[in-house]
Every structure is written in structure tokens, then in C-alpha cells.
Amino acid sequence: MISVCMATYNGERYIEQQLKSILDQTLQPDEVIISDDNSSDNTCEIIKKFIKKNSLEKSWKLFVNDINLGYPQNFYVAMSKCKGDIVFLADQDDIWKNDKIEKMVDILEKNPKIDVLSCNHSLIDDNGKVIRSYIHRTGNKKSFLYPIYTKDVLRGFHWLGMTIAYRNTFYKKIEKSLDGSGIAHDFALCVTAASQKAFYFYSYIGAFHRRHSNNTSMSEHRVVKLLNLNRKLRDI
């Protein structure tokens, strides 16, 4: 079973494009779980209309928080509701390639030692125009699949949540320890899996990450928190 896990908040401008890119996948997820963090715009209405228009009521579910929990906790709420053996993380403003799920599931099925898998990504601007075509990270440049170690994660965090798929059995083992922690979900997954030699990078470009002035993940932890080694060590 495959789950897609999305956290939303005031994402009305781009949300429908992301939803469509999930709907267009060559390998469809068995469920899509969306947790909205009490948006004040039309995000929820757009999601509801999209689900109804495409007759997705049985497998796509929208949950709305009574109060605003903040970026990390909203993701943890969504992740706790996922029933899939493999869970894909999704942001509200990016676009996936239509074979992203199919290719990453194939890698995970062939490599049981991998608990967290991150694909590569390109960057796009507000209008969806590619502004950087290929982002290569650490590891063997001749290999399409290679491990990421704890030291790599601590030196600089490059594996965005929207590129990540993880095994739910792995996450359930650490779920309680993250409750109320404030540690970003993607960082927690990556650093824990890396410490167990179970975090791998797949050089396939599977998604387009939109860069714009309202990127929530940027303000929450990508720059402010994770570039500081001492802060990372305290969080861990």
C-alpha cells in the first residue's frame, strides 16, 4: 500500500497544480492524506473541489486542524494518519514528475535495506519555469543510488521533504519520540535513517521544487535552523 502525505497552509495559489501532478502519476497511491493547518484562504475549498471533481472521495482525505499547529507538527499529524507501507511526503506548492512514485517504489522494493529514500529535484520559479536543472549532492557521481551518512546530513541539509519516501515501519519506531519536539519532519527522518545506514539518495530528478517568497519550509528550518551545527546537535 502506498500513501501520499501532504501538509497545507494558505497554499491556494499553487495547490491545484501539485494535486494534479499526484493524480497524474503512472503508479497511483492507495491513499492521499492532506492535513490543513487551519488555512485562512481558499486552500481547503480548492482541495475539496478537486477531490469531488475527480471522484476521489474514497482514497483522498482532507483533515483540518482546529488551531494552527505550525509546519513541523502539521506534517506529523498527517504522517500519523498514513496507513501505507511506503509513504511519500508532499508540499503544497511543488510539482512531481508523473513517474516519481513508480520509480521510487521500484527502488525501495529492490532494496529492503533502505528505509528513507530521497530523489533529486529541479528548481522552478513562481511561474513554473525551471531555474536550475540538476542538483547533485554528496556521494559517488558515477552511481545513481548511494548512501547518505550522518555527517552529510549535519554538514548541510539538502534532502527536501518533497523528495522523500519512507517505510512506515521505520517511522512508527521513532514517531513517539518526535511528538511535540518541533524538529522538522524531513530532517528527523533523514538523520535517524542515516545513523542506521538506511538513508539513500537516488539521482533521478523526480520533482520540481518551487522557489517563492512564501516558502514555509525555508522560514521554518531550511535556513534559520539547519545551517547551524550547534542548533542541529541540540535538536538531536
Side-chain angles (χ1 to χ4, degrees):
M1 184 175 178
I2 301 168
S3 299
V4 170
C5 171
M6 181 187 294
T8 62
Y9 177 68
N10 288 352
E12 63 180 6
R13 184 174 179 184
Y14 306 112
I15 184 66
E16 190 165 1
Q17 295 177 51
Q18 172 65 305
L19 296 176
K20 188 176 185 306
S21 75
I22 295 171
L23 183 61
D24 289 343
Q25 290 294 300
T26 55
L27 178 61
Q28 280 291 299
D30 298 285
E31 67 173 8
V32 175
I33 301 298
I34 305 170
S35 178
D36 184 80
D37 206 15
N38 203 251
S39 290
S40 58
D41 66 359
N42 294 315
T43 299
C44 291
E45 286 70 25
I46 293 171
I47 295 171
K48 290 175 183 176
K49 288 181 180 178
F50 185 89
I51 291 174
K52 184 176 181 179
K53 177 183 176 181
N54 294 283
S55 303
L56 299 168
E57 291 88 350
K58 290 185 179 180
S59 55
W60 289 45
K61 304 297 181 182
L62 171 64
F63 301 89
V64 181
N65 299 330
D66 293 331
I67 59 172
N68 184 273
L69 300 176
Y71 175 73
Q73 285 304 313
N74 189 31
F75 252 110
Y76 289 133
V77 167
M79 292 162 72
S80 70
K81 299 179 184 298
C82 291
K83 299 176 181 178
D85 303 300
I86 297 174
V87 180
F88 284 80
L89 299 176
D91 288 337
Q92 64 187 7
D93 45 11
D94 303 314
I95 299 174
W96 288 7
K97 281 190 176 178
N98 67 352
D99 58 355
K100 178 175 183 277
I101 291 179
E102 181 179 358
K103 283 184 172 293
M104 293 184 72
V105 166
D106 182 62
I107 293 292
L108 286 165
E109 288 181 343
K110 291 178 179 177
N111 297 273
K113 64 183 178 182
I114 300 176
D115 283 328
V116 176
L117 178 68
S118 171
C119 71
N120 210 338
H121 66 281
S122 291
L123 300 179
I124 56 176
D125 62 16
D126 280 23
N127 300 312
K129 181 180 179 181
V130 175
I131 55 178
R132 192 180 302 171
S133 60
Y134 183 72
I135 305 172
H136 194 88
R137 301 304 180 196
T138 58
N140 184 351
K141 294 183 179 181
K142 294 182 180 180
S143 176
F144 71 94
L145 183 69
Y146 51 81
I148 302 298
Y149 301 106
T150 307
K151 64 180 181 180
D152 300 320
V153 179
L154 294 177
R155 283 173 177 169
F157 190 71
H158 308 293
W159 303 274
L160 309 183
M162 48 81 75
T163 69
I164 290 173
Y166 64 87
R167 298 189 194 277
N168 217 356
T169 51
F170 163 78
Y171 175 64
K172 291 303 180 183
K173 293 176 182 177
I174 64 173
E175 183 176 15
K176 289 184 179 180
S177 66
L178 296 171
D179 185 33
S181 67
I183 300 174
H185 63 295
D186 44 7
F187 178 69
L189 287 169
C190 292
V191 75
T192 307
S195 72
Q196 300 175 16
K197 299 181 179 179
F199 177 31
Y200 276 69
F201 177 74
Y202 177 27
S203 61
Y204 152 77
I205 297 176
F208 300 94
H209 178 56
R210 196 185 302 271
R211 284 287 177 87
H212 56 89
S213 58
N214 294 322
N215 280 116
T216 303
S217 59
M218 186 73 74
S219 61
E220 279 289 344
H221 76 286
R222 204 75 62 202
V223 171
V224 178
K225 295 180 181 178
L226 292 180
L227 292 182
N228 185 291
L229 179 58
N230 289 331
R231 174 58 184 265
K232 286 184 281 191
L233 291 174
R234 287 199 301 271
D235 282 347
I236 294 169

